[in-house]
Structures are given as C-alpha cells and as structure tokens.
C-alpha cells in the first residue's frame, strides 16, 4: 500500500476526531472564555505564568512528543503496520486526547492543581499519597530511559576490539550535542527578551526563529566530541536547571523554539512522503504472536504508548500546562489538539519505517530513532539540503523529542516529591519536612534516583516504562470519572477506555514480573537490571491496585453536585468545590 494514502487517511480521521468528538466533549463539559484561569489569578512568575494559546500548545506538544510516538510505532510494527495504525488512530481520538484534555480541564477548574492534589480532593488523602508515590516512581523511569537515550544519541565513540574509538557518526552526533547546549543558552536569551521587551505576535515568532537558526548554525560548525558518560552528566545538569528555573526563563522559550524544529521535521517527512510516495514495505499483519515482543495483547497497546494514550501526558497537562493557560478556550487546542498531532507524528514515523524496509518486508536495521532519522534525512537531501546538514538537523530533532520530555518530567518529578511530604501549613511544618520540600533538595533526590536507574539501560527500561505509563493513564481516567461525576458533567465516555486500559496494563505488568522471576530462576538475572525492574514492577502493581480500589469505591459512592455543572451560568472561573484548597 502507498504510504501517502495511509498518512492521508490518518490525518482525515484525526482531524475529524478533533473537530467532532473533541468539540463535543468541550461543549458537554463546559468552556468559559471569560473565566479567570489559574495562570492569571495565581500568577507568581515561577510556575503560574500566563501565556498565549500557541505558546502553551508549543509547550504541551514539545513535552508530550517525546521518544514514544517514534519508538513505539516502529517497534510495534513487528505485528504489522495495520494494527499499529488502527490503535494510533482510535487510541489517539478516544483514549489519549480525551485523557490529556480531561486532565488539563480538571486542573484548570481546580486552581491548576496537579493530579495528586485532585485525587486528594475527590478521592482522599490516602489516595493522594499513594498516587504521588506512583507518579514519582514513574518519573524516575522516564528520566532514566530518556536520559540514557539522549546520552547515547550524542555519544561520539564506539567500542572496537575492546577499545573506544571515534564512530563514523562522531561529527554528526557531536554537532547535534552542541546544538542542544546552544539551544539552552539561546532559549534563556529569548526568554529574557520576551519578558523584558514583551514580544508578541510576529515579533515573538521572528525572535524565536532567529535564536533557533543561530543555535543550529553555530552548533553545526562547532561539534562537541564527547563520550556517553560526559553527555549523561550534561543532560542531568540541564534538566536540573529546567526543574528549578522559572517557566518563562527556560522551558517556555525552549519549547517554543523546539516547536519550529518539530514543525520542520514533520513537514520534511510529510512532504517527502507526498513527493516520493514510497510503498509501505512492511507487512500489514504478521500474526498475534511475535517471538521477540510476545503476544499482541497486551504488548501492542503498551509499546505504542505516547502515540495513542499516555499517562505521562496528563502529568504535563495538570503539572505545567494548566498553570500557563490564560484563556479556557485554548484548552481544547492544547489538550486535545496536541495529542492528535502527536498521533499523526506516530503515523508518519510508521510510514517512514515502512518506506525504509526492504521490498520483501524485512525491517531496516538500527534503532527506531536511527531508522526515522535516516529516512527523513534522505527526504531532506532529496530537496537539495546537504546530507551533513540534514543529518545534524534530524539527529537534533530526535534527541529534542526526548529532551523536551525530560525537562518536563524532571520538573514534575520534583513537584511530586514535594507534594508527597507537604502539608497545608508549611510555614509551621517540621524542619525535616521543609528540607524535603525544598525545590533544590527534592530535585537533587529525584535526579540522583533517576541516574541510578540509567545503569539499567534504555532497552531494559522501555518495556517497564510502557506498562507503567499506560497504568498511569488508567489511574488518571478513573480520577477524571470521579471529578466529572461529582461536578455534574459527562463521564460515561471515559468508562470504556478506563476498563480497557486497566486490563491492558495489569496484564502487561504481571507478564513482565513473571518474566523477571523466571530470569532469576534461570540464573541469568542481575540485581541492578532485572532486580530493580522487578521491585519497581511489583511496587507499581501494588500501588495501582490500591488506587483503583480506592477510586472505584469513590466513583460508585460519590453523588453529583449540580452546583458545578457546566449549565450553571453563575459559575465563573474555578469550580466552587475547588475553593477549599
């Protein structure tokens, strides 16, 4: 089948989902453009920073469009491209976008509170503590997986005959690393310019483009040759800054600039598919079992995570984006729109991998990132762009996919750790509690734990990440069901996705745990690899069961409070039930 046809079908379905289903949900739940959002009412220059709709969209998309849509779609293509395509489209429209939009909506209606604090409000303090612990453990997995991925991407060395030597891609990898470092510098310059000069509209866009091209141009001409360990240290130094600096100084401007690169990457891939319209060489369906991955249920649904549904997205929606939305009318675009665009990216990645496969259906060699990067770089060269420039650009883009998720998850991990030990009256709290809730201390603890997990390696962490990520989405969905029921809003459309995701994730975690136990029985397990995975997997399952039981009981027992239904015209801004915070 032609890849162009596949992309067009997917784009039409996703756009229709946004236009019809997304707007229907917004109408059912209620959007008030005149309401004062948390970003405006609680502006503090640190986390609550109002921004225009496209800036928030850029932050949301840059943060959620991590390694998942590329890696997951290409890995899962082992079952055939058709199951992946169907899950990305259906999952994106009815699962992922609904979860992201719902988390953003609930948070904005509750003073920009995170999912943990929403659980405390609607489910109870015990549920909050358990959920925050779950979230913190999950952020450690994401930090470890993506940091290891980034460091490996920029690594200039390879092992040959037992010795480290420069690889063939040393110059390209080094240039991409230099660009990444310069991006941080130029992002901070752009952030200060935007705040001091109050740049808006075309002036803001022009300044962002200048800073983006400057980082690209300088970085390509000054490649930084370094090993994986050095890049790991630099990566953790960057995400430390992203976790503690004000949103306007680093994360918002960097996400805005990165969006230009992502737009170029997606446009290059899309136009390349239009012009070359290569055939989809991967088989449509290979069977319900794969020797390497396992059974299609549940593996397909946890492997294709971010491209279809992701619990991590909800942490971004309620952790950072909800604190920057300046008008409720932007919530649909930010929450639902960013997700369907990510689903389209997953489809494009699938088609690029299909075009790179051999005519007999044999998949291209290399990691999913390498396959996608090489494929799009080939398209860009077809348009007259020098191969070195195309390779540097694409290497930077695929690493930026992980970096933009890393900075968000580091901040969310820090906030989850703080919320885990915080109390209402922190001014009179115990000294030990104040220390644990200090943003610098909590960031160091979070990143240190994440660094320890990097020793497991990206390939070993990814299966656990997928299962934990999807379980998190199920926990968010059940929380949203309670919130919507209590506030008199529509929640029936969330029940089917909730039930399906619970079945998928617990099955995947049980299978993963059994596999790890068998590895120990066979004597092939190592504690720092299989041992840590097993401990985390069991913890996640136990915490998940407790949260599901507690939340499910509240879902059945809670009664709707009509005073907060969207039909109540007197309700402006936050829900009245949120005023108790």
């Amino acid at each position: 089948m032609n890849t162009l046809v596949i992309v067009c079908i997917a784009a039409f379905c996703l756009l229709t989902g946004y236009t019809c289903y997304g707007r229907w949900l917004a109408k059912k739940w209620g959007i008030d453009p005149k309401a004062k959002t948390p970003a405006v009412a609680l502006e503090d220059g640190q986390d609550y920073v109002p921004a225009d709709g496209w800036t928030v969209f850029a932050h949301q998309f840059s943060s959620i469009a991590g390694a998942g849509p590329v890696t997951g779609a290409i890995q899962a293509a082992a079952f055939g491209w058709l199951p992946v395509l169907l899950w990305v489209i259906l999952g994106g429209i009815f699962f992922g976008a609904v979860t992201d939009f719902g988390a953003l909506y609930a948070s904005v209606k509750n003073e920009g509170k995170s999912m943990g604090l929403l659980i405390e409000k609607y489910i109870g303090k015990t549920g909050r503590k358990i959920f925050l612990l779950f979230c913190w453990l999950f952020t450690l997995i994401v930090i470890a997986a993506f940091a290891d991925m980034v460091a490996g991407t920029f690594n200039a060395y390879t092992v040959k005959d037992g010795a480290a030597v420069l690889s063939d891609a040393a110059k390209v990898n080094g240039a991409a690393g230099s660009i990444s470092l310069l991006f941080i510098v130029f992002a901070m310059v752009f952030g200060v310019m935007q705040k001091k000069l109050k740049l808006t509209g075309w002036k803001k866009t022009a300044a962002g483009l200048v800073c983006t091209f400057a980082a690209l141009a300088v970085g390509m001409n000054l490649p930084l040759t370094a090993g994986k360990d050095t890049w790991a240290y630099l990566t953790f130094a960057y995400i430390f800054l992203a976790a503690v600096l004000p949103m306007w100084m680093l994360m918002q401007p960097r996400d805005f600039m990165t969006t230009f690169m992502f737009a170029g990457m997606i446009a290059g891939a899309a136009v390349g598919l239009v012009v070359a319209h290569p055939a989809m060489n991967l088989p449509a369906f290979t069977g319900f079992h794969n020797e390497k991955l396992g059974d299609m249920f549940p593996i397909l649904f946890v492997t294709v995570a971010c491209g279809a549904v992701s619990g991590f997205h909800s942490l971004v929606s309620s952790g950072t984006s909800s604190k920057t939305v300046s008008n409720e009318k932007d919530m649909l675009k930010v929450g639902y729109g960013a997700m369907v665009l990510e689903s389209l990216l997953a489809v494009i990645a699938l088609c690029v991998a299909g075009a790179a496969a051999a005519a007999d259906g044999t998949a291209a060699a290399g990691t999913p990132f390498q396959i996608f990067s090489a494929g799009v770089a080939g398209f860009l060269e077809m348009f007259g762009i020098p191969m070195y420039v195309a390779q540097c650009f694409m290497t930077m883009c695929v690493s930026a996919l992980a970096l933009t998720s890393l900075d968000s998850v580091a901040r969310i991990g820090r906030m989850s750790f703080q919320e885990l030990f915080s109390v209402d009256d922190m001014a009179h709290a115990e000294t030990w509690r104040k220390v644990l809730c200090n943003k610098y201390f909590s960031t160091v603890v979070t990143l240190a734990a994440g660094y320890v997990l990097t020793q497991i390696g990206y390939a070993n962490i990814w299966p656990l990440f997928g299962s934990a990520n999807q379980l998190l989405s199920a926990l968010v969905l059940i929380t949203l069901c309670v919130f919507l029921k209590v506030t008199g809003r529509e929640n029936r459309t969330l029940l089917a996705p909730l039930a399906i995701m619970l079945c998928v994730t617990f099955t995947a975690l049980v299978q993963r745990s059994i596999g790890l136990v068998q590895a120990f029985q066979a004597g092939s397990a190592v504690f720092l690899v299989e041992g840590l995975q097993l401990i985390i997997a069991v913890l996640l399952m136990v915490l998940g069961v407790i949260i599901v039981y507690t939340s499910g009981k509240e879902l059945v027992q809670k009664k709707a409070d009509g005073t907060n239904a969207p039909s109540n015209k007197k309700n402006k801004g936050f829900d009245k039930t949120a005023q108790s915070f």
Side-chain angles (χ1 to χ4, degrees):
M1 189 173 185
N2 194 290
T3 53
L4 179 59
V5 176
I6 296 174
V7 172
C8 289
I9 291 173
F12 174 78
C13 293
L14 292 170
L15 180 60
T16 302
Y18 175 84
T19 305
C20 299
Y21 192 55
R23 289 181 177 174
W24 178 80
L25 286 175
K27 183 179 179 181
K28 277 288 184 180
W29 293 347
I31 298 291
D32 185 2
K34 296 180 181 179
K36 186 176 287 189
T37 64
V40 176
L42 305 173
E43 182 177 1
D44 59 6
Q46 180 73 25
D47 295 315
Y48 289 86
V49 181
D52 64 87
W54 287 111
T55 298
V56 185
F57 174 87
H59 165 70
Q60 177 81 5
F61 178 70
S62 297
S63 298
I64 68 175
V70 173
T71 301
I74 294 177
Q75 281 186 336
F79 292 108
W81 62 263
L82 185 57
V84 176
L85 179 67
L86 291 175
W87 172 230
V88 167
I89 294 176
L90 295 175
I93 294 173
F94 298 107
F95 290 66
V98 174
T99 306
D100 296 6
F101 178 39
L104 178 65
Y105 181 87
S107 182
V108 169
K109 288 295 186 181
N110 284 275
E111 297 181 323
K113 299 297 183 183
S114 68
M115 289 306 303
L117 294 180
L118 287 176
I119 285 181
E120 178 181 7
K121 174 181 174 54
Y122 294 104
I123 296 171
K125 289 187 177 182
T126 301
R128 171 205 169 189
K129 293 291 185 183
I130 296 172
F131 182 82
L132 287 172
L133 179 58
F134 182 99
C135 287
W136 188 69
L137 287 172
F138 173 73
T139 60
L140 301 185
I141 297 173
V142 180
I143 289 170
F146 287 14
D148 186 68
M149 189 183 305
V150 170
T153 301
F154 296 155
N155 180 26
Y157 293 91
T158 187
V159 177
K160 187 175 183 180
D161 297 329
V165 297
L166 285 175
S167 66
D168 295 335
K171 186 177 180 181
V172 172
N173 294 351
S178 294
I179 296 169
S180 295
L181 294 178
L182 288 167
F183 239 69
I184 300 169
V185 176
F186 279 106
M188 295 178 73
V189 171
F190 176 47
V192 173
M193 287 174 55
Q194 185 180 346
K195 186 173 182 65
K196 299 298 182 182
L197 302 178
K198 301 188 184 300
L199 300 178
T200 57
W202 70 268
K203 294 180 181 178
K204 176 182 175 181
T205 301
L209 283 170
V210 168
C211 290
T212 301
F213 281 114
L216 289 167
V218 176
M220 286 181 188
N221 289 286
L222 294 173
L224 178 59
T225 302
K228 185 176 180 180
D229 288 343
T230 300
W231 282 116
Y233 299 145
L234 290 172
T235 299
F236 274 90
Y238 161 65
I239 58 178
F240 174 82
L241 292 175
V244 299
L245 289 177
M247 287 284 293
W248 63 266
M249 183 177 287
L250 181 55
M251 285 186 64
Q252 282 185 341
R254 188 187 188 283
D255 290 340
F256 189 78
M257 290 167 56
T258 304
T259 301
F260 292 130
M261 292 181 54
F262 287 170
M265 177 187 70
I266 294 174
V271 174
L273 291 172
V274 170
V275 175
H277 50 82
M280 168 58 79
N281 293 324
L282 292 172
F285 182 60
T286 61
F288 291 99
H289 180 79
N290 179 268
E291 289 297 327
K292 184 178 180 181
L293 296 180
D295 295 325
M296 191 166 73
F297 181 90
I299 300 303
L300 170 70
F301 304 95
V302 296
T303 302
V304 184
C306 299
V309 57
S310 169
F312 166 65
H313 295 184
S314 62
L315 300 185
V316 176
S317 293
S318 64
T320 54
S321 295
S322 63
K323 297 175 177 62
T324 57
V325 170
S326 58
N327 194 311
E328 284 193 12
K329 66 180 177 61
D330 294 325
M331 289 195 294
L332 177 63
K333 174 172 60 184
V334 173
Y336 202 101
M339 178 61 224
V340 294
L341 181 59
E342 187 186 25
S343 295
L344 182 61
L345 174 59
V347 174
I348 291 174
L350 176 66
C351 290
V352 170
D360 63 355
T362 303
T367 66
F369 265 13
Q370 291 171 334
I371 295 170
F372 182 70
S373 179
V376 180
F379 289 151
L380 295 177
E381 186 186 24
M382 185 173 63
F383 302 136
I385 298 175
M387 178 53 78
Y388 174 68
V389 175
Q391 288 177 332
C392 289
F393 176 74
M394 282 306 303
T395 303
M396 174 57 197
C397 280
V398 296
S399 62
L401 287 171
L403 276 170
T404 50
S405 293
L406 264 175
D407 53 27
S408 291
V409 81
R411 197 177 190 92
I412 293 166
R414 181 262 290 177
M415 294 168 68
S416 296
F417 189 87
Q418 287 177 294
E419 291 177 3
L420 191 59
F421 297 100
S422 66
V423 291
D424 293 336
D425 186 12
M426 284 301 298
H428 299 91
E430 301 93 328
T431 302
W432 65 268
R433 196 180 292 276
K434 290 182 178 180
V435 171
L436 291 176
C437 292
N438 177 273
K439 73 175 181 179
Y440 299 105
F441 181 85
S442 57
T443 301
V444 170
V445 171
T446 299
L447 297 188
Y451 180 78
V452 171
L453 285 181
T454 60
Q455 307 311 302
I456 296 177
Y458 149 72
N460 292 310
I461 296 174
W462 190 260
L464 188 59
F465 160 76
S467 301
N469 188 34
Q470 305 303 64
L471 177 55
L472 179 58
S473 70
L475 302 182
V476 171
L477 281 169
I478 197 169
T479 304
L480 293 177
C481 283
V482 177
F483 159 72
L484 293 171
K485 181 178 180 180
V486 169
T487 56
R489 295 177 170 95
E490 170 65 46
N491 76 345
R492 289 172 296 177
T493 54
L494 273 62
L495 297 178
L498 167 62
I500 293 171
M501 294 315 299
L502 285 175
C503 293
V504 165
T505 52
F506 277 110
T507 302
L509 281 171
V510 168
Q511 287 183 351
R512 184 64 179 167
S513 299
I514 292 174
L516 292 169
V517 170
Q518 290 174 341
F520 274 101
Q521 292 175 339
S524 60
V526 178
F527 177 75
L528 282 178
V529 180
E530 286 81 7
L532 285 179
Q533 289 186 75
L534 181 59
I535 291 172
I536 294 174
V538 172
L539 272 174
L540 292 176
M541 281 191 292
V542 172
L543 294 175
V545 168
I546 296 173
I547 296 171
V548 169
Y549 172 76
T550 306
S551 304
K553 185 171 65 174
E554 292 298 315
L555 179 60
V556 173
Q557 295 178 352
K558 289 282 188 182
K559 297 186 181 298
D561 180 359
T563 61
N564 292 302
S567 59
N568 186 355
K569 300 300 182 182
K570 293 181 180 181
N571 180 30
K572 299 292 184 182
F574 312 135
D575 280 347
K576 292 178 181 179
T577 52
Q579 302 305 319
S580 59
F581 276 111

